[in-house]
Amino acid sequence: MMAKMDNPQGPEHGGGFRNIVDFLFVPHTARNRALDVSAVPPANAPGTVHTQSLRRWLAQIVVLVLALALITGMATAAAVRVRRKEQDGPIDWQVRPLAIAHRGDDSAPENSLHAITNAGANGADYAEIDVRLDADGTPVVFHDRSTGRLAADGRNVSVGILSTRELQHLTMRQNGEDFHVPTLEQAVMAAQHVNDHLGLLLDMKTGSVHAPKLTRAISRVIERNNFSDRAMFMSTNDDAVEFMRKLHPGWTVGKCVSPAGHPEVGWPRGVSFVVMRGNRLDQAVLDRANRSNIPVYAGVSGDYNEGRRCLKLGADGVLGASAKSVRRLARRFAFTVRQGRPGDMAASRASDGPHDGAIARLQRNRPMAGH
């Protein structure tokens, strides 16, 4: 109900909304006849006609503006009520495992800017990249300790003794494509440029001696570019993991727990996730993940049958060479969550989807994307 508006002119002229209606819809001549003639100045007063006309037009403009504002307010309130009504209904969300492109997409040289942008363009959630320090203390994106495997001229030099300028002037080559070693800053900018959601999973390549320096250098780049909400961090080195966790307790920091071969895997404490080779992943590992409520991502390289097996067991994501392949695989294991009332959630999954225990963990650990 509309509130009553006081009438400053007295009850005989009506008030509030009635005045607005009168000004808008009562004929001009009728309004003139209704004017109190005692208030009209003498006809011979200078400028009388012009002043009356100007005042009348100004009054009509003010009233028109007020009427439009009132109508707009009523329409906005109605729209808000409609949106609220729509939000009160059931909402469908899709939850699926993470699709992570290992060293970027394999359509380009590993860890190159081209591989990062292709990972985003081909649908990966994250591009996994390797980060280490050069001689200047700059974090650069390169997997090996030395340049020999990828250097176009075969020059084999430790990355740690090359300055940033020297390293970026070396030509690297893989699968017939030349590239230059990017800095972490360039990698972050590439991810930001390709779309608004591609993340980076940073594998911190370091020993314990240089772990504090590397984690601080990485932190500066991430903070400078406001990228922490799109980054995850991991390492096989416990000190690097611990230093990053202490520097940024709110960041997503995990552990790579399965080196080559079959040594005993030590289960980490206090981490946000675990990455391990797919061929090491079994039901015992996933049961332990369920008890600890820790996501587990399986590294499968190009073996997507292995990836399918891991997701069937209940892995929370896969790292594979092809962004398109891991994206397609993750979609096969997506399921829909319908939320009617708060706390009332039910999941419906595809026939190829994970078992109920994995679904429960995915609902806890995976952000729900789209509806």
Side-chain angles (χ1 to χ4, degrees):
M1 179 179 294
M2 189 171 296
K4 180 180 178 181
M5 297 175 63
D6 292 332
N7 177 18
Q9 296 182 352
E12 67 273 16
H13 291 291
F17 189 70
R18 176 66 179 274
N19 283 340
I20 295 173
V21 173
D22 286 344
F23 268 106
L24 290 175
F25 300 110
V26 175
H28 179 70
T29 54
R31 287 201 303 272
N32 285 346
R33 286 196 298 271
L35 290 174
D36 184 357
V37 293
S38 64
V40 179
N44 59 355
T48 298
V49 176
H50 176 72
T51 302
Q52 290 177 353
S53 177
L54 180 60
R55 287 176 177 174
R56 188 162 54 248
W57 280 108
L58 287 175
Q60 292 181 12
I61 290 172
V62 169
V63 171
L64 181 59
V65 170
L66 291 174
L68 290 174
L70 180 61
I71 293 170
T72 301
M74 293 171 65
T76 301
V80 169
R81 286 195 297 271
V82 170
R83 287 197 297 271
R84 185 175 297 130
K85 183 177 180 181
E86 290 175 348
Q87 292 172 353
D88 289 340
I91 301 175
D92 288 348
W93 301 89
Q94 186 183 73
V95 182
R96 59 172 175 76
L98 282 180
I100 305 171
H102 184 236
R103 303 185 194 175
D105 188 58
D106 63 357
S107 59
E110 64 180 61
N111 283 312
S112 66
L113 296 179
H114 192 189
I116 293 169
T117 56
N118 282 5
N122 290 329
D125 298 304
Y126 285 83
E128 184 266 347
I129 58 175
D130 302 290
V131 183
R132 59 175 66 250
L133 291 177
D134 63 18
D136 294 333
T138 302
V140 294
V141 183
F142 200 73
H143 178 271
D144 300 351
R145 292 180 180 177
S146 301
T147 61
R149 180 172 64 91
L150 294 175
D153 61 2
R155 184 182 176 192
N156 191 26
V157 185
S158 173
V159 172
I161 67 170
L162 293 171
S163 68
T164 307
R165 184 177 182 278
E166 290 173 329
L167 187 60
Q168 293 206 307
H169 275 77
L170 285 180
T171 300
M172 302 293 168
R173 181 175 299 153
Q174 190 177 45
N175 299 331
E177 182 177 338
D178 290 351
F179 70 103
H180 296 278
V181 176
T183 64
L184 175 58
E185 186 123 31
Q186 291 170 331
V188 168
M189 293 174 66
Q192 290 174 323
H193 179 75
V194 67
N195 57 42
D196 62 357
H197 59 268
L198 176 67
L200 294 177
L201 170 56
L202 279 61
D203 187 353
M204 300 180 288
K205 296 294 187 182
T206 182
S208 295
V209 174
H210 299 292
K213 187 175 181 181
L214 176 62
T215 53
R216 286 194 293 266
I218 288 175
S219 296
R220 287 192 292 270
V221 174
I222 298 300
E223 289 177 316
R224 185 162 59 243
N225 290 277
N226 298 315
F227 198 71
S228 61
D229 59 339
R230 289 168 62 176
M232 298 195 297
F233 310 84
M234 70 174 183
S235 181
T236 59
N237 182 271
D238 289 326
D239 290 325
V241 172
E242 190 62 23
F243 278 122
M244 186 61 83
R245 288 182 60 237
K246 287 182 177 179
L247 275 174
H248 301 284
W251 287 11
T252 306
V253 184
K255 174 78 185 294
C256 184
V257 299
S258 58
H262 291 274
E264 183 178 353
V265 173
W267 198 258
R269 292 184 178 182
V271 296
S272 303
F273 64 92
V274 164
V275 172
M276 67 186 310
R277 294 176 183 271
N279 59 11
R280 299 293 307 277
L281 197 65
D282 57 23
Q283 192 59 59
V285 170
L286 270 302
D287 288 343
R288 191 170 183 178
N290 282 327
R291 291 194 300 270
S292 304
N293 194 27
I294 296 178
V296 177
Y297 307 127
V300 300
S301 189
D303 189 349
Y304 302 109
N305 287 328
E306 183 68 48
R308 181 182 180 280
R309 184 191 70 83
C310 292
L311 292 179
K312 189 71 174 178
L313 283 175
D316 298 80
V318 286
L319 289 77
S322 165
K324 287 182 179 179
S325 296
V326 291
R327 173 73 171 183
R328 185 164 52 247
L329 189 59
R331 282 178 171 175
R332 290 178 62 184
F333 286 83
F335 59 90
T336 300
V337 175
R338 166 155 289 198
Q339 181 173 347
R341 299 179 300 276
D344 178 20
M345 301 181 70
S348 59
R349 60 181 181 271
S351 58
D352 204 18
H355 56 72
D356 292 339
I359 284 179
R361 194 177 67 260
L362 280 167
Q363 284 184 217
R364 292 193 299 269
N365 295 322
R366 283 288 291 116
M368 295 183 180
H371 70 277

